[in-house]
Protein backbone atom coordinates (compact mmCIF):
# COMPACT_ATOMS: atom_id res chain seq x y z
CA UNK A 1 0.00 0.00 0.00
CA UNK A 2 1.40 3.37 -1.06
CA UNK A 3 1.01 6.06 1.61
CA UNK A 4 0.48 9.53 0.16
CA UNK A 5 0.50 12.82 2.04
CA UNK A 6 -1.11 15.79 0.31
CA UNK A 7 0.05 19.36 0.85
CA UNK A 8 -2.80 21.75 0.13
CA UNK A 9 -5.16 18.89 0.91
CA UNK A 10 -8.33 20.96 1.31
CA UNK A 11 -7.96 22.62 -2.11
CA UNK A 12 -9.53 21.56 -5.40
CA UNK A 13 -6.76 19.18 -6.43
CA UNK A 14 -6.29 17.83 -2.91
CA UNK A 15 -9.95 16.88 -2.67
CA UNK A 16 -9.94 15.30 -6.14
CA UNK A 17 -6.88 13.18 -5.35
CA UNK A 18 -8.40 12.11 -2.03
CA UNK A 19 -11.60 10.98 -3.74
CA UNK A 20 -9.76 8.94 -6.38
CA UNK A 21 -7.39 7.42 -3.82
CA UNK A 22 -10.41 6.13 -1.91
CA UNK A 23 -11.34 4.08 -4.99
CA UNK A 24 -7.83 2.67 -5.52
CA UNK A 25 -6.68 -0.62 -4.01
CA UNK A 26 -2.98 0.24 -3.80
CA UNK A 27 -3.04 3.81 -2.45
CA UNK A 28 -4.14 5.44 0.78
CA UNK A 29 -4.03 9.00 2.11
CA UNK A 30 -1.81 9.01 5.21
CA UNK A 31 -1.68 12.76 5.85
CA UNK A 32 -3.32 16.02 4.83
CA UNK A 33 -1.47 19.31 5.31
CA UNK A 34 -3.31 22.64 5.24
CA UNK A 35 -2.21 26.21 5.98
CA UNK A 36 -2.35 27.44 9.59
CA UNK A 37 -5.77 28.88 10.34
CA UNK A 38 -7.49 26.92 7.58
CA UNK A 39 -11.18 26.26 8.33
CA UNK A 40 -10.49 22.59 7.57
CA UNK A 41 -7.79 22.23 10.25
CA UNK A 42 -8.64 19.56 12.80
CA UNK A 43 -11.56 18.12 10.82
CA UNK A 44 -11.67 14.61 9.40
CA UNK A 45 -10.62 14.13 5.78
CA UNK A 46 -13.78 13.00 3.99
CA UNK A 47 -13.68 9.29 3.19
CA UNK A 48 -10.36 8.68 4.98
CA UNK A 49 -10.26 6.90 8.31
CA UNK A 50 -8.16 8.31 11.16
CA UNK A 51 -6.73 11.20 9.14
CA UNK A 52 -7.46 14.84 10.03
CA UNK A 53 -6.43 17.98 8.23
CA UNK A 54 -3.40 19.40 10.02
CA UNK A 55 -1.16 22.46 9.72
CA UNK A 56 1.72 20.67 11.45
CA UNK A 57 4.07 19.59 8.69
CA UNK A 58 5.87 16.76 10.47
CA UNK A 59 2.58 15.28 11.70
CA UNK A 60 0.94 15.36 8.27
CA UNK A 61 3.94 13.87 6.45
CA UNK A 62 5.36 11.44 9.01
CA UNK A 63 3.78 8.24 7.60
CA UNK A 64 4.09 9.15 3.91
CA UNK A 65 5.98 7.22 1.26
CA UNK A 66 5.42 10.02 -1.30
CA UNK A 67 4.38 13.67 -0.84
CA UNK A 68 2.16 15.50 -3.33
CA UNK A 69 2.31 19.30 -3.07
CA UNK A 70 -0.58 21.24 -4.64
CA UNK A 71 -0.38 24.21 -2.31
CA UNK A 72 0.52 27.86 -2.88
CA UNK A 73 4.08 28.54 -4.11
CA UNK A 74 5.06 30.24 -0.84
CA UNK A 75 4.93 26.99 1.16
CA UNK A 76 7.08 25.00 -1.24
CA UNK A 77 10.47 25.74 0.33
CA UNK A 78 9.46 24.39 3.75
CA UNK A 79 7.97 21.22 2.27
CA UNK A 80 10.95 20.65 -0.02
CA UNK A 81 13.43 21.04 2.85
CA UNK A 82 11.53 18.51 4.98
CA UNK A 83 11.29 15.99 2.14
CA UNK A 84 15.01 16.36 1.38
CA UNK A 85 15.88 15.81 5.04
CA UNK A 86 13.66 12.73 5.29
CA UNK A 87 14.45 11.35 1.83
CA UNK A 88 10.78 11.56 0.85
CA UNK A 89 9.97 11.62 -2.88
CA UNK A 90 8.11 14.83 -3.73
CA UNK A 91 5.72 15.70 -6.55
CA UNK A 92 5.17 19.45 -6.96
CA UNK A 93 2.04 20.30 -8.91
CA UNK A 94 1.98 23.94 -7.84
CA UNK A 95 1.77 26.41 -10.73
CA UNK A 96 3.10 29.94 -11.01
CA UNK A 97 6.52 29.19 -9.50
CA UNK A 98 9.06 32.01 -9.78
CA UNK A 99 12.71 31.10 -10.44
CA UNK A 100 13.50 31.85 -6.79
CA UNK A 101 10.81 29.36 -5.74
CA UNK A 102 12.24 26.66 -8.01
CA UNK A 103 15.67 26.92 -6.41
CA UNK A 104 14.72 25.08 -3.15
CA UNK A 105 13.17 22.28 -5.23
CA UNK A 106 16.30 21.93 -7.30
CA UNK A 107 18.35 21.82 -4.10
CA UNK A 108 16.07 19.13 -2.64
CA UNK A 109 16.54 17.06 -5.81
CA UNK A 110 20.15 16.47 -4.78
CA UNK A 111 18.87 14.42 -1.83
CA UNK A 112 15.57 12.97 -3.00
CA UNK A 113 13.45 12.45 -6.11
CA UNK A 114 11.54 15.62 -7.03
CA UNK A 115 9.00 15.64 -9.85
CA UNK A 116 7.94 19.07 -11.14
CA UNK A 117 4.56 18.74 -12.81
CA UNK A 118 2.53 21.94 -13.26
CA UNK A 119 0.05 19.74 -15.11
CA UNK A 120 -0.28 16.03 -14.30
CA UNK A 121 -2.63 15.18 -17.16
CA UNK A 122 -1.14 12.46 -19.35
CA UNK A 123 -2.70 14.05 -22.43
CA UNK A 124 -1.25 17.48 -21.72
CA UNK A 125 2.22 16.06 -21.30
CA UNK A 126 1.97 14.32 -24.66
CA UNK A 127 0.82 17.65 -26.09
CA UNK A 128 4.04 19.25 -24.82
CA UNK A 129 6.06 16.80 -26.89
CA UNK A 130 3.90 17.38 -29.97
CA UNK A 131 4.32 21.15 -29.67
CA UNK A 132 8.11 20.91 -29.48
CA UNK A 133 8.28 18.66 -32.54
CA UNK A 134 5.81 20.76 -34.52
CA UNK A 135 7.67 24.00 -33.77
CA UNK A 136 10.92 22.40 -34.88
CA UNK A 137 9.38 21.11 -38.11
CA UNK A 138 7.52 24.27 -39.17
CA UNK A 139 10.00 26.99 -38.24
CA UNK A 140 9.44 30.73 -37.88
CA UNK A 141 7.34 31.00 -41.04
CA UNK A 142 4.49 29.81 -38.80
CA UNK A 143 3.41 32.20 -36.05
CA UNK A 144 2.71 30.61 -32.65
CA UNK A 145 -0.12 31.69 -30.34
CA UNK A 146 -1.10 29.93 -27.11
CA UNK A 147 -4.61 30.23 -25.69
CA UNK A 148 -5.59 28.92 -22.27
CA UNK A 149 -8.84 28.98 -20.28
CA UNK A 150 -9.49 28.11 -16.62
CA UNK A 151 -12.09 28.61 -13.89
CA UNK A 152 -12.52 32.04 -12.33
CA UNK A 153 -10.79 31.09 -9.08
CA UNK A 154 -7.37 30.52 -10.66
CA UNK A 155 -4.97 33.19 -9.42
CA UNK A 156 -2.00 32.95 -11.84
CA UNK A 157 -1.87 33.73 -15.54
CA UNK A 158 -0.81 32.47 -17.96
CA UNK A 159 -1.18 29.02 -16.49
CA UNK A 160 1.88 26.97 -15.70
CA UNK A 161 0.88 24.61 -18.48
CA UNK A 162 0.62 27.45 -21.01
CA UNK A 163 4.09 28.61 -20.05
CA UNK A 164 5.43 25.08 -20.44
CA UNK A 165 3.84 24.89 -23.88
CA UNK A 166 5.60 28.14 -24.73
CA UNK A 167 8.90 26.79 -23.45
CA UNK A 168 8.54 23.67 -25.58
CA UNK A 169 7.64 25.70 -28.66
CA UNK A 170 10.66 27.93 -28.12
CA UNK A 171 12.90 24.94 -27.51
CA UNK A 172 11.73 23.40 -30.78
CA UNK A 173 13.12 26.49 -32.48
CA UNK A 174 16.25 26.43 -30.34
CA UNK A 175 15.21 29.66 -28.60
CA UNK A 176 14.42 30.82 -25.06
CA UNK A 177 10.84 31.75 -24.20
CA UNK A 178 11.96 34.85 -22.27
CA UNK A 179 13.22 36.43 -25.47
CA UNK A 180 10.20 35.57 -27.62
CA UNK A 181 7.10 35.69 -25.36
CA UNK A 182 4.41 38.34 -25.81
CA UNK A 183 1.93 38.50 -22.93
CA UNK A 184 0.06 41.73 -23.72
CA UNK A 185 -1.18 43.55 -26.80
CA UNK A 186 -2.91 46.90 -26.67
CA UNK A 187 -2.97 49.97 -28.88
CA UNK A 188 -0.57 50.49 -31.75
CA UNK A 189 1.57 47.39 -31.32
CA UNK A 190 3.20 47.48 -34.73
CA UNK A 191 3.89 44.45 -36.89
CA UNK A 192 4.36 41.09 -35.29
CA UNK A 193 8.02 40.15 -34.88
CA UNK A 194 9.15 36.94 -36.50
CA UNK A 195 9.51 34.22 -33.88
CA UNK A 196 7.23 35.78 -31.27
CA UNK A 197 5.13 33.42 -29.15
CA UNK A 198 1.91 35.09 -28.01
CA UNK A 199 -0.32 34.23 -25.05
CA UNK A 200 -4.05 34.77 -24.48
CA UNK A 201 -5.92 34.02 -21.26
CA UNK A 202 -9.56 33.42 -20.30
CA UNK A 203 -10.88 33.08 -16.75
CA UNK A 204 -14.47 32.16 -15.98
CA UNK A 205 -17.02 29.63 -14.85
CA UNK A 206 -15.84 26.18 -13.80
CA UNK A 207 -13.51 25.42 -16.73
CA UNK A 208 -11.19 22.64 -15.61
CA UNK A 209 -8.56 23.53 -18.19
CA UNK A 210 -8.22 24.17 -21.90
CA UNK A 211 -5.06 24.81 -23.92
CA UNK A 212 -4.64 25.39 -27.64
CA UNK A 213 -1.41 26.07 -29.51
CA UNK A 214 -1.93 27.71 -32.91
CA UNK A 215 0.62 27.47 -35.71
CA UNK A 216 -0.55 30.09 -38.23
CA UNK A 217 1.27 29.89 -41.54
CA UNK A 218 0.77 31.02 -45.13
CA UNK A 219 -2.56 29.68 -46.27
CA UNK A 220 -3.13 27.31 -43.37
CA UNK A 221 -3.41 27.01 -39.60
CA UNK A 222 -2.62 24.02 -37.41
CA UNK A 223 -4.24 23.80 -33.96
CA UNK A 224 -3.14 21.43 -31.20
CA UNK A 225 -5.70 21.36 -28.38
CA UNK A 226 -6.22 19.66 -25.05
CA UNK A 227 -9.46 20.07 -23.09
CA UNK A 228 -9.98 18.67 -19.62
CA UNK A 229 -13.62 17.99 -18.77
CA UNK A 230 -12.94 16.98 -15.17
CA UNK A 231 -10.35 17.69 -12.49
CA UNK A 232 -10.14 13.91 -12.08
CA UNK A 233 -7.94 13.93 -15.18
CA UNK A 234 -5.21 15.71 -13.22
CA UNK A 235 -5.80 13.74 -10.02
CA UNK A 236 -5.50 10.43 -11.87
CA UNK A 237 -2.25 11.56 -13.45
CA UNK A 238 -0.93 12.66 -10.04
CA UNK A 239 -1.59 9.22 -8.57
CA UNK A 240 0.13 7.55 -11.53
CA UNK A 241 3.09 9.87 -11.05
CA UNK A 242 3.22 9.10 -7.32
CA UNK A 243 3.40 5.37 -8.07
CA UNK A 244 6.24 5.98 -10.51
CA UNK A 245 8.11 8.33 -8.18
CA UNK A 246 8.43 5.81 -5.35
CA UNK A 247 11.88 4.22 -5.50
CA UNK A 248 13.38 6.68 -7.99
CA UNK A 249 16.90 7.95 -7.36
CA UNK A 250 17.48 11.57 -6.25
CA UNK A 251 17.08 13.95 -9.14
CA UNK A 252 14.78 16.42 -10.83
CA UNK A 253 12.11 14.79 -12.99
CA UNK A 254 9.16 15.78 -15.17
CA UNK A 255 6.02 14.03 -16.38
CA UNK A 256 7.89 13.02 -19.55
CA UNK A 257 9.86 10.62 -17.36
CA UNK A 258 6.63 9.12 -16.02
CA UNK A 259 5.35 8.68 -19.57
CA UNK A 260 8.68 7.34 -20.84
CA UNK A 261 8.76 9.97 -23.62
CA UNK A 262 12.25 10.38 -25.02
CA UNK A 263 13.55 13.95 -25.05
CA UNK A 264 16.45 15.48 -26.97
CA UNK A 265 19.61 16.09 -24.97
CA UNK A 266 20.26 19.82 -24.38
Amino acid sequence: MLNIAIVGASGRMGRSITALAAEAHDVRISGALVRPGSPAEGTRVLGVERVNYSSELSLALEDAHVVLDFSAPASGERVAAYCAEQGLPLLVGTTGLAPSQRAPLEAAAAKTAVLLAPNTSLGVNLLLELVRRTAAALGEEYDIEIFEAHHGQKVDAPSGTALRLGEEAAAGREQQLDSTAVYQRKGQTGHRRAGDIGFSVMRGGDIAGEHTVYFAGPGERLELTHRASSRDTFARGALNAARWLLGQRPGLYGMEHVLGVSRPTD
Side-chain angles (χ1 to χ4, degrees):
M1 184 69 70
L2 177 63
N3 287 354
I4 292 177
I6 304 176
V7 181
S10 62
R12 292 170 180 262
M13 273 299 297
R15 295 195 303 270
S16 295
I17 292 170
T18 298
L20 280 185
E23 301 173 1
H25 301 295
D26 61 337
V27 173
R28 79 177 186 94
I29 303 301
S30 63
L33 186 69
V34 294
R35 60 176 174 79
S38 167
E41 186 172 6
T43 64
R44 180 63 55 83
V45 178
L46 184 64
V48 182
E49 294 182 2
R50 298 184 296 279
V51 176
N52 291 345
Y53 292 108
S54 173
S55 63
E56 187 177 337
L57 187 145
S58 58
L59 178 62
L61 307 189
E62 64 179 351
D63 293 328
H65 299 143
V66 177
V67 176
L68 306 186
D69 185 355
F70 286 90
S71 63
S75 67
E77 182 173 358
R78 186 169 65 111
V79 173
Y82 180 89
C83 288
E85 180 183 339
Q86 301 296 321
L88 275 173
L90 171 65
L91 182 156
V92 180
T94 305
T95 63
L97 292 175
S100 62
Q101 292 166 327
R102 285 178 58 98
L105 304 177
E106 293 169 353
K111 297 182 177 180
T112 191
V114 178
L115 196 161
L116 292 182
N119 191 311
T120 52
S121 158
L122 302 183
V124 159
N125 284 280
L126 288 174
L127 175 62
L128 292 169
E129 184 68 16
L130 290 173
V131 166
R132 176 192 278 259
R133 295 187 182 189
T134 303
L138 295 181
E140 289 190 3
E141 190 177 16
Y142 285 71
D143 297 323
I144 299 177
E145 291 285 315
I146 299 172
F147 169 80
E148 62 100 341
H150 284 86
H151 55 85
Q153 301 304 307
K154 187 170 178 59
V155 298
D156 60 306
S159 69
T161 300
L163 293 173
R164 278 293 311 280
L165 288 165
E167 290 169 355
E168 295 299 327
R173 293 175 167 178
E174 299 182 350
Q175 298 172 336
Q176 296 294 319
L177 181 61
D178 288 345
S179 63
T180 59
V182 176
Y183 298 110
Q184 294 180 345
R185 293 189 180 100
K186 182 180 180 181
Q188 298 296 318
T189 61
H191 294 294
R192 181 190 180 105
R193 295 183 307 169
D196 277 353
I197 297 175
F199 289 83
S200 300
V201 174
M202 174 185 172
R203 294 287 178 267
D206 60 355
I207 302 170
E210 178 179 330
H211 297 85
T212 296
V213 182
Y214 298 89
F215 294 87
E220 64 178 0
R221 184 173 74 244
L222 174 64
E223 302 176 13
L224 301 178
T225 296
H226 178 274
R227 295 185 180 91
S229 57
S230 168
R231 198 167 299 277
D232 286 354
T233 298
F234 312 115
R236 189 172 294 108
L239 289 177
N240 287 337
R243 295 180 179 103
W244 178 88
L245 195 54
L246 184 66
Q248 297 297 326
R249 299 176 62 181
L252 196 62
Y253 300 96
M255 284 296 291
E256 66 271 16
H257 296 100
V258 179
L259 290 170
V261 177
S262 61
R263 306 300 300 274
T265 301
D266 295 328

